[in-house]
Amino acid sequence: FNEGKCVMYNGMSFSLASTLNVPSGQTEQRQNFNYPVEVIGHRGSLYSALENTSKSFIDAAKAGADGVELDVFLLKCGTLVVFHGSGGDEEPGLLHQYCKVEGSILDYTAAEARNLLTFNKNYAEFGCGPDKITHPGDQDHYCYVETLEEVLKNLRDHPEVPSNFSIKIELKGPGTALPAVQLVQKLNMTHRCHYSSFEHSRIAEVREHDPSVITGALFADDIPDDFVERS
């Protein structure tokens, strides 16, 4: 990213410098600094495979992405799983649109989520389309709720995923911060994993446990003046 330049996000062009009210003189002074842009697969390569699955993440690596973003919840059994769900950032993890059942992913254990939930092939927000969503019994079935440990190990050990491939872990649900950091440390992947959340207390908890990690605060609305401190 070059400061003062325009960037594209979801088809909209904007200047980060103007958004943050950076004086034009400051951006001109720093034009000689080159900040490379990282290509991050949001929930993986979601047009080639179902989002938030190991296949989608590995597809992103094969396509040349520098890393992926994924979403995690801590289930009632104490296991972290990779899942997004509907409901927005105020009430994430709802199942009605994603899996055609009522309730939340938080109502399940990891084993129940894996074995009982199937993904709605007709949900319009699944970019891969219905033909790439599998159900139990299908050949090469891959569309099930995976644990974060499974996903991290798959990305760490897959021969086509570079060793510097980064993983942006969005802490979606309550209680996710400390278990996520501890799991990443156990797998010796601290150097590859970053943490973010719309709930900024989770970011503070991550930094309290491991001040060396990279964190980022997410914002649904206007960016506050203290966004750097929150991040």
Side-chain angles (χ1 to χ4, degrees), residues 54 114 144-155:
S54 286
R114 186 186 189 103
Y144 46 82
V145 178
E146 295 180 75
T147 68
L148 178 59
E149 183 165 5
E150 286 178 289
V151 168
L152 292 178
K153 285 181 176 179
N154 286 338
L155 291 174

Side-chain angles (χ1 to χ4, degrees), residues 73 83-88 90-107 117 123:
F73 287 88
F83 186 79
H84 189 278
S86 54
E90 297 77 17
E91 192 179 9
L94 299 183
L95 299 174
H96 178 68
Q97 293 175 307
Y98 263 60
C99 302
K100 297 175 71 174
V101 296
E102 297 303 323
S104 163
I105 190 71
L106 298 176
D107 300 330
L117 296 177
Y123 185 41

Side-chain angles (χ1 to χ4, degrees), residues 46-168:
L46 50 77
Y47 291 103
S48 69
L50 180 67
E51 64 175 51
N52 274 323
T53 60
S54 286
K55 177 173 171 50
S56 185
F57 301 136
I58 292 168
D59 280 358
K62 290 179 178 179
D66 298 300
V68 290
E69 179 269 355
L70 54 81
D71 308 283
V72 299
F73 287 88
L74 182 70
L75 300 193
K76 61 184 183 181
C77 60
T79 301
L80 291 164
V81 297
V82 179
F83 186 79
H84 189 278
S86 54
D89 297 310
E90 297 77 17
E91 192 179 9
L94 299 183
L95 299 174
H96 178 68
Q97 293 175 307
Y98 263 60
C99 302
K100 297 175 71 174
V101 296
E102 297 303 323
S104 163
I105 190 71
L106 298 176
D107 300 330
Y108 291 74
T109 65
E112 290 168 345
R114 186 186 189 103
N115 296 320
L116 299 178
L117 296 177
T118 58
F119 288 89
N120 178 9
K121 291 191 175 190
N122 297 315
Y123 185 41
E125 289 196 18
F126 288 150
C128 64
D131 294 341
K132 293 179 181 177
I133 297 177
T134 65
H135 284 172
D138 293 343
Q139 187 176 6
D140 299 323
H141 176 49
Y142 75 95
C143 296
Y144 46 82
V145 178
E146 295 180 75
T147 68
L148 178 59
E149 183 165 5
E150 286 178 289
V151 168
L152 292 178
K153 285 181 176 179
N154 286 338
L155 291 174
R156 183 192 64 187
D157 300 336
H158 196 282
E160 295 183 78
V161 178
S163 60
N164 61 347
F165 192 74
S166 64
I167 301 150
K168 321 290 187 183

